[in-house]
Amino acid sequence: MKEVIDWLTERPYYAGQVETQQTVPGRTARTREIPLHTRVERALEAEGIEALYDHQAAAIEALRNDEHVVLATPTASGKSLAYTIPALERALEDGLTTLYIAPQVALINDQEETLKELSRAMGFGKQVDVAQYTGRLSQSQKRSVRERRPSILLTTPDMLHYGLLPHARRLWDWFFSNLDLVILDEVHEYRGVFGSHVGLVLRRLARICTRFESDPQFLCCSATIANPVEHASRVTNQPQREFRLVTEDTSATGPTHWLFWNPPEYGEGQQGHGQRRSSHTETKRLFVDLVTQGLQTAVFTRARQTAERYASASARELRSRGERELANTIGAYQAALSNERRQQLEAELHSGDLRGVWSTNALELGVDIGGLDAVILDGYPGTRMATWQQAGRAGRGTDPSLVILVAGEDQLDQYMMRHPDSFFQGAPEQAVANPENTQLLPAHVTAAATESWLTPADSEQFGEPFPTIVGKLESAGTLSRRSTDAGIRWLYDGGGSPQHEMSLRTIGDREITLKDRQRDEIIGRLPFEDALRDAHPGAIYHHQGRTYEVVKLDLEYDIAELGPSRADYYTRTLHEKEVTVRADHTEQRLTTNEEVLVRFADITMRKQITGFERRDSRSGEVIGQESLSVPETTLETSALYYTVPDSMRAELLAADGSFPGAIHAVEHAMISLFPLQLVCDRRDIGGLSTPLHPHTDQSTIFIYDGYPGGVGLSKTGYERIDNLVSETYDLLSECPCDAGCPACVQSPHCGNANEPLDKKLGRQLLSRFLDGQTE
């Protein structure tokens, strides 16, 4: 691997781009033996496993001590064996059932095969049956699974919601009455809206278990996050004190060579303006170089369109170098592909036939693709957790591996380039979910009523809002109240299936179908708000190596028609926002300056897309702009906001610069730093700065959750506002640019085309926030 790194860094076109080179050393395994069921032990020996890693043994022993477990170790550390053994032993010894829940069907396919192999090796036959129950099965296949009565059932949260809980008493009583272990794989993925929904589904599962007098243990597998037990407790509604945390990875690994790679700024002799060569372009060059050097390589990038576009561009580059056969071994992997295509790509990666792949984070989770030689991260993935997860795809056993982080020009990427110790030594981020979200609760309470009658005791699962929600549903005629000898009961009195009227992955269910007009075929679907951003008339859209222009967006029939395009530009929308404060909940003063008031509140944000820009694919420069007429969208969510005292405002207005640009710059910079502390993407958070807001009669900066009802992001920001202010000041002070650049105050998601922005005055405002100090 050292020879490959030397070869790369000696290329003249890469001169000066390596900011940091660091090697994370490998380690030898630490194992120990624990008592196992004879047949389990025999099956493991047949697989060449004579002892367990220490962390696997610790998790199994904790389960045997009737504790819940959070197993938070890195990718490829062998977490699956820690739950496979208890699941098989409980099925064999006591006829008890296990429910395995994973966020993706691809994970379920992997785990089903692993469990079946061990079951076959133990010679159990029908004693331990393993089956998946997902939306990919036909009705006859689902019926066959129910008739077989498997001991270990693998499913997604979605199928638990749609297909298991609604029929628990009629079709699944045998399963839930014997349920002894629930495995939540990739529990860190249950955050935001999805995590809040899943938390409520698990509360409904707990109600069903109570009805069947079962009380399962939970084993939650997680990536490395700051709050693994707190997060697992919040999602499962089990007390934190009942969890055992296992975090030390005792498996064997080879050394990992890390390169922090910063593309050069534009222009000879023009340094410090912050505008850099595209990370996509630089990643493509590195990718092609590594593949031609014989390294099986994966690129992780943030957007489906980027993965598709640059996989095609990489194949073209290989052909231009005369590597035609190698060009045919490059692919793009992302969640919108068909199940068959994803499985084909996974198999080809595992076999080595696919030599390179561009992927979104869809490949980040624990799907078995074998070990890669190298991973390139096209832009900082947004969190340390995601970065380590994606990097963990590199490495075959104890062989050395290579990870290259290619920085974008925005704030977080450049922060990591300047502060590599913050990545390698910094604390992991917190995962956040909000099962108390009052916009989600009514639908789940309604669904619960169809699964089993509601009682006042259900406040234990649904929290303090439960009586109010039940009262409203009763008034609306959705629930009917009954008085019985055992107390008050509420029954569902509506029609249809409440479960099928909501999606766990979003809050809104409206989707836009994408249609290839020339081929007359459906190529995908997008959530409504995503479609307004990505599939408006004139938008450039990439899919499976093809480039399209959106010709028509029909919102009456929810269809976007796309035609072929050879555009060498991309598009980005412009918008206007308005925020109304519905209710203030709490307030505090900055500890560094008590003049500054900070509040946490419920707000309504109205957003109107007004047009879009065309930007050159190579330079990112604006080459055109058009107006759009699409519907306004509304978001009711939670926010933190703070005001600028009149005395500070007057001081800054008298200074040389733009006051609206100053508060706009502070808003952008502060939002960009949220992923340093929370497992989130900057798109999960929105903001608005206004020189005068009617609710406060002062200059005000709002930072809000990008999801209806809020998922806890802005609340956490409110709780640590002093640190945010200080970190934002440091960000603006450390960036070497003069007027503001993508590495400090410019945002790729700004709907006002990053106008106005005043970095210097923004830094001055923050310095006044920090104990009144002046520049």
Side-chain angles (χ1 to χ4, degrees):
M1 193 60 71
K2 184 179 184 301
E3 289 75 14
V4 173
I5 294 171
D6 290 343
W7 183 89
L8 282 178
T9 54
E10 288 169 1
R11 301 302 94 192
Y13 47 81
Y14 289 142
Q17 296 189 42
V18 177
E19 295 277 6
T20 298
Q21 182 172 345
Q22 187 160 331
T23 300
V24 177
R27 63 174 174 270
T28 57
R30 194 169 77 241
T31 62
R32 63 186 168 100
E33 296 182 11
I34 61 172
L36 298 174
H37 189 283
T38 304
R39 290 187 177 179
V40 174
E41 188 171 30
R42 188 183 308 147
L44 293 176
E45 288 175 353
E47 297 290 322
I49 301 172
E50 297 183 355
L52 299 176
Y53 295 134
D54 192 75
H55 62 272
Q56 295 170 332
I60 293 169
E61 288 173 338
L63 287 175
R64 290 175 176 176
N65 290 332
D66 295 326
E67 297 174 277
H68 302 304
V69 175
V70 178
L71 181 55
T73 54
T75 304
S77 59
K79 289 193 283 280
S80 62
L81 209 56
Y83 55 73
T84 298
I85 290 171
L88 291 170
E89 288 185 334
R90 294 176 189 211
L92 179 65
E93 294 172 355
D94 302 304
L96 299 173
T97 59
T98 293
L99 179 65
Y100 170 91
I101 304 171
Q104 289 185 354
V105 174
L107 280 171
I108 288 171
N109 292 337
D110 268 357
Q111 294 306 310
E112 180 185 27
E113 186 57 34
T114 299
L115 284 159
K116 282 184 174 179
E117 284 179 5
L118 279 173
S119 180
R120 286 192 293 266
M122 288 183 281
F124 288 166
K126 294 183 179 180
Q127 281 184 288
V128 179
D129 192 7
V130 178
Q132 67 166 274
Y133 198 81
T134 67
R136 303 280 165 81
L137 302 186
S138 67
Q139 290 300 319
S140 62
Q141 289 172 320
K142 291 176 183 175
R143 184 167 55 252
S144 174
V145 169
R146 295 194 300 268
E147 290 172 352
R148 282 163 44 198
R149 297 195 170 192
S151 301
I152 303 173
L153 190 70
L154 301 90
T155 193
T156 61
D158 313 78
M159 186 52 67
L160 178 60
H161 163 70
Y162 292 124
L164 294 174
L165 294 179
H167 310 292
R169 290 177 295 171
R170 186 169 61 89
L171 301 175
W172 297 97
D173 54 329
W174 56 271
F175 185 82
F176 289 112
S177 61
N178 290 294
L179 184 59
D180 195 57
L181 179 62
V182 176
I183 301 157
L184 275 185
D185 207 356
E186 309 286 350
V187 72
H188 57 275
E189 289 294 313
Y190 301 130
R191 60 184 190 271
V193 167
F194 182 44
S196 303
H197 271 301
V198 172
L200 288 165
V201 171
L202 293 178
R203 283 153 175 76
R204 287 162 44 202
L205 171 63
R207 295 180 68 252
I208 292 298
C209 289
T210 299
R211 300 292 187 267
F212 284 107
E213 298 182 349
S214 61
D215 185 21
Q217 287 176 274
F218 282 86
L219 191 155
C220 303
C221 295
S222 176
T224 302
I225 56 177
N227 59 334
V229 171
E230 177 196 10
H231 183 61
S233 171
R234 191 160 182 76
V235 172
T236 63
N237 205 30
Q238 302 297 317
Q240 290 189 42
R241 65 180 181 276
E242 295 181 8
F243 280 91
R244 169 85 67 88
L245 176 62
V246 179
T247 59
E248 184 183 3
D249 180 5
T250 56
S251 62
T253 65
T256 303
H257 299 273
W258 283 80
L259 300 178
F260 276 27
W261 201 281
N262 213 2
E265 291 182 302
Y266 290 130
E268 293 292 332
Q270 299 178 21
Q271 304 302 306
H273 52 66
Q275 295 181 328
R276 296 180 179 274
R277 185 185 298 161
S278 165
S279 68
H280 308 322
T281 302
E282 206 63 18
T283 296
K284 182 192 76 174
R285 182 183 286 182
L286 284 164
F287 174 77
V288 171
D289 280 346
L290 290 177
V291 170
T292 55
Q293 287 292 305
L295 275 67
Q296 189 183 27
T297 304
V299 171
F300 283 98
T301 192
R302 299 179 189 180
R304 292 192 298 262
Q305 295 293 285
T306 304
E308 295 283 357
R309 176 180 165 193
Y310 281 92
S312 299
S314 298
R316 287 195 300 271
E317 175 66 19
L318 285 165
R319 291 188 186 97
S320 74
R321 296 187 186 187
E323 300 280 0
R324 293 189 173 276
E325 289 188 12
L326 200 54
N328 295 328
T329 66
I330 305 301
Y333 186 100
Q334 41 96 354
L337 299 179
S338 68
N339 185 48
E340 292 74 19
R341 177 58 177 158
R342 285 200 302 272
Q343 287 181 338
Q344 179 186 0
L345 289 169
E346 290 160 15
E348 290 176 357
L349 278 170
H350 197 281
S351 68
D353 293 339
L354 194 68
R355 300 306 302 162
V357 64
W358 282 72
S359 176
T360 63
N361 63 0
L363 203 58
E364 175 185 319
L365 302 183
V367 181
D368 184 11
I369 57 169
L372 303 168
D373 299 308
V375 163
I376 307 174
L377 307 177
D378 176 21
Y380 180 59
T383 63
R384 298 176 189 87
M385 182 206 76
T387 306
W388 286 109
Q389 283 282 100
Q390 293 174 9
R393 285 307 196 175
R396 303 174 189 272
T398 56
D399 292 342
S401 58
L402 175 64
V403 178
I404 305 177
L405 170 57
V406 181
E409 61 182 9
D410 67 9
Q411 296 98 323
L412 268 182
D413 293 60
Q414 292 305 310
Y415 181 92
M416 287 301 170
M417 291 297 110
R418 292 194 299 268
H419 300 279
D421 288 347
S422 174
F423 174 76
F424 288 108
Q425 301 172 19
E429 302 87 359
Q430 293 185 57
V432 177
N434 181 24
E436 290 79 32
N437 185 313
T438 54
Q439 293 203 27
L440 305 183
L441 270 166
H444 282 277
V445 170
T446 302
T450 70
E451 294 156 4
S452 178
W453 61 72
L454 298 170
T455 75
D458 286 318
S459 289
E460 293 179 15
Q461 298 297 339
F462 297 117
E464 189 177 326
F466 176 73
T468 302
I469 290 170
V470 167
K472 290 181 178 179
L473 292 173
E474 185 181 343
S475 298
T478 304
L479 300 179
S480 61
R481 179 188 180 107
R482 307 285 174 85
S483 295
T484 71
D485 292 341
I488 298 172
R489 300 286 185 267
W490 289 275
L491 306 179
Y492 180 63
D493 207 20
S497 167
Q499 291 84 352
H500 285 82
E501 292 173 8
M502 62 172 152
S503 165
L504 302 188
R505 308 282 172 161
T506 62
I507 288 186
D509 291 335
R510 187 176 180 184
E511 289 187 328
I512 302 296
T513 299
L514 306 180
K515 181 180 180 182
D516 183 328
R517 174 185 276 191
Q518 187 178 65
R519 295 167 176 261
D520 193 29
E521 64 181 28
I522 304 303
I523 64 170
R525 290 177 174 80
L526 289 175
F528 178 70
E529 291 199 24
D530 288 357
L532 295 184
R533 182 189 69 228
D534 297 335
H536 57 77
I540 298 301
Y541 192 85
H542 301 277
H543 180 78
Q544 287 295 281
R546 297 190 178 94
T547 301
Y548 297 92
E549 180 176 351
V550 179
V551 179
K552 180 181 180 182
L553 177 59
D554 187 335
L555 295 179
E556 181 178 357
Y557 295 100
D558 286 348
I559 294 177
E561 296 185 9
L562 289 71
S565 173
R566 295 188 177 182
D568 60 354
Y569 59 85
Y570 61 94
T571 50
R572 181 182 293 172
T573 56
L574 303 170
H575 60 252
E576 295 176 351
K577 292 180 185 175
E578 176 184 297
V579 167
T580 303
V581 177
R582 300 199 317 275
D584 288 315
H585 293 304
T586 58
E587 65 178 49
Q588 60 180 324
R589 303 274 177 177
L590 284 183
T591 58
T592 54
N593 192 323
E594 293 192 353
E595 287 187 77
V596 182
L597 183 65
V598 187
R599 291 190 176 104
F600 180 68
D602 291 333
I603 66 159
T604 299
M605 187 279 295
R606 293 177 176 82
K607 176 179 171 181
Q608 177 66 62
I609 292 177
T610 57
F612 69 96
E613 297 174 327
R614 294 186 178 90
R615 290 179 172 256
D616 183 86
S617 294
R618 291 172 293 278
S619 68
E621 293 179 359
V622 178
I623 58 175
Q625 191 175 114
E626 286 192 30
S627 60
L628 285 172
S629 177
V630 296
E632 178 185 82
T633 57
T634 300
L635 173 69
E636 292 187 352
T637 188
S638 56
L640 74 86
Y641 70 90
Y642 50 97
T643 54
V644 179
D646 292 338
S647 59
M648 290 187 198
R649 181 173 183 270
E651 176 187 325
L652 295 176
L653 284 171
D656 183 21
S658 165
F659 177 74
I663 57 177
H664 194 195
V666 170
E667 171 213 326
H668 279 187
M670 188 170 287
I671 287 173
S672 76
L673 293 178
F674 264 69
L676 284 179
Q677 301 296 329
L678 300 170
V679 181
C680 66
D681 184 85
R682 62 182 300 161
R683 279 189 180 275
D684 297 335
I685 307 153
L688 177 72
S689 51
T690 174
L692 185 66
H693 194 271
H695 183 73
T696 62
D697 287 327
Q698 288 182 302
S699 302
T700 308
I701 297 174
F702 292 90
I703 296 178
Y704 58 82
D705 286 32
Y707 300 105
V711 294
L713 301 174
S714 60
K715 184 176 182 182
T716 305
Y718 171 82
E719 292 167 351
R720 59 178 309 274
I721 186 64
D722 291 298
N723 288 336
L724 269 176
V725 170
S726 177
E727 290 163 357
T728 307
Y729 176 78
D730 290 343
L731 175 66
L732 269 58
S733 299
E734 292 172 356
C735 185
C737 75
D738 293 324
C741 70
C744 57
V745 298
Q746 292 178 9
S747 168
H749 309 303
C750 181
N752 295 314
N754 284 303
E755 292 290 343
L757 289 173
D758 192 319
K759 171 190 173 180
K760 181 179 179 181
L761 212 59
R763 187 175 63 220
Q764 186 174 335
L765 173 61
L766 289 167
S767 73
R768 295 286 285 111
F769 282 3
L770 293 170
D771 202 23
Q773 60 188 355
T774 56
E775 292 278 296

